[in-house]
Amino acid sequence: MRKNIVAGNWKMNKNVIEAQQLMFQLLQYKKNHTPNCEIWIAPPSLYLMMAKDLYENDEIGIFAQDMSEYESGAYTGEISAAMLESLDITGAIIGHSERRQYHGETDSHCNRKIKLALDQGLTPIYCNGETLEQRKSGKHLEVVKNQTEVALFTLSADEIKKVVIAYEPVWAIGTGETASPEQAQEIHAHIRSLIAEKYGQEVADDISILYGGSVKPDNAKEIFSQPDIDGGLIGGAALNVADFGKIIEGFS
Ligand code: PGA
């Protein structure tokens, strides 16, 4: 079912005390407000258990920032989908541009990870988006089409409905530069139409597509008001509850 979602990607930030504080503040925020969207967080994996203990009633969705493309075995440093499932974690971010850039992740890796996540009943947040060079040369629609097809189009209709997509233009991540609401809407509509062509309009209408890339309190409302934008994947502004709360209130 298509939902409005604001998800915070904490990346490699915060020590354990700071992480606990922010988790607690978010819980208080959720108790004192009536958000018109789901609230999800992706803290560093070391802190997933702590989040699970704190959010006893699943008030806030808890996501890993990545997971392995393998089921189990000799993969030092990796975390499997089955491990996340055994902790009752909601899902995992897959294919974030920083994983692509620094760890050579491709859409074929993403495809395998998404399959494994779904097999374990986890929700994958699949990220894609073009680089500045690709946008400047007018290839953004084609790049996102290719990414979407390779990562997702081996899934069945029932499977793809369980995926959340995050369009994150690489040039807007952590740079303070945001895609204009119109630029983001264009790509979101494009992704939805690709899914509609392959799986039918009903399936496409069921999928939440988030925008990510320098979403801040002062631009969230306008971005979220676009017809094909169902929320945001937030990096820097998810690291304090004041900003994250204002972004959540972009869905008023
Ligand atoms: P940003 O990060 O909000 O700091 O640009 C977004 C993301 O990487 O998901």
Side-chain angles (χ1 to χ4, degrees):
M1 233 273 288
R2 185 156 158 193
K3 324 182 244 210
N4 293 333
I5 300 158
V6 173
N9 174 9
W10 295 9
K11 309 191 180 181
M12 197 173 69
N13 291 294
K14 303 211 176 277
N15 67 27
V16 67
I17 305 286
E18 293 161 346
Q20 194 172 33
Q21 270 171 356
L22 180 53
M23 284 175 194
F24 183 74
Q25 288 166 350
L26 269 174
L27 186 59
Q28 292 306 110
Y29 177 89
K30 177 88 198 271
K31 285 185 176 156
N32 295 330
H33 295 77
T34 320
N36 288 321
C37 61
E38 298 218 357
I39 304 175
W40 294 355
I41 58 165
S45 6
L46 268 180
Y47 309 146
L48 289 171
M49 279 284 270
M50 191 167 77
K52 197 60 219 169
D53 287 344
L54 189 63
Y55 302 148
E56 282 172 343
N57 301 316
D58 299 327
E59 299 93 340
I60 291 175
I62 306 166
F63 285 72
Q65 295 176 10
D66 180 40
M67 50 162 262
S68 176
E69 66 183 292
Y70 302 107
E71 262 176 73
S72 67
Y75 300 102
T76 301
E78 295 282 320
I79 293 171
S80 73
M83 290 174 190
L84 295 172
E85 191 281 330
S86 71
L87 293 180
D88 205 14
I89 297 303
T90 320
I93 297 175
I94 290 174
H96 189 279
S97 69
E98 287 148 19
R99 300 292 316 170
R100 295 172 187 259
Q101 189 178 349
Y102 306 126
H103 302 272
E105 216 162 280
T106 65
D107 284 290
S108 309
H109 296 119
C110 293
N111 177 259
R112 288 198 286 279
K113 291 183 182 199
I114 290 166
K115 264 305 253 178
L116 285 172
L118 291 170
D119 288 348
Q120 292 293 336
L122 302 171
T123 299
I125 304 176
Y126 163 64
C127 303
N128 63 15
E130 80 286 357
T131 62
L132 187 57
E133 210 174 56
Q134 289 164 336
R135 174 154 291 260
K136 279 191 172 156
S137 57
K139 295 211 177 93
H140 45 292
L141 293 174
E142 190 189 321
V143 168
V144 171
K145 176 173 190 272
N146 193 261
Q147 292 173 327
T148 306
E149 285 174 354
V150 174
L152 299 180
F153 282 9
T154 61
L155 302 176
S156 69
D158 278 346
E159 285 174 328
I160 199 169
K161 277 199 223 172
K162 295 179 187 139
V163 177
V164 169
I165 298 171
Y167 165 62
E168 300 205 306
V170 179
W171 48 273
I173 296 177
T175 58
E177 255 197 70
T178 325
S180 68
E182 295 72 27
Q183 283 173 324
Q185 166 58 26
E186 182 193 26
I187 303 267
H188 283 232
H190 176 57
I191 295 172
R192 208 180 294 286
S193 76
L194 292 168
I195 297 171
E197 267 168 44
K198 166 101 180 148
Y199 295 96
Q201 194 62 46
E202 211 176 300
V203 172
D205 285 341
D206 248 10
I207 295 179
S208 298
I209 309 178
L210 314 183
Y211 168 78
S214 300
V215 178
K216 303 283 180 232
D218 60 1
N219 60 21
K221 199 180 176 71
E222 207 188 344
I223 293 171
F224 297 167
S225 68
Q226 299 298 314
D228 286 293
I229 301 185
D230 306 306
L233 181 56
I234 321 298
L239 296 174
N240 72 80
V241 78
D243 283 353
F244 197 54
K246 286 189 199 120
I247 291 173
I248 290 166
E249 285 149 32
F251 283 114
S252 49

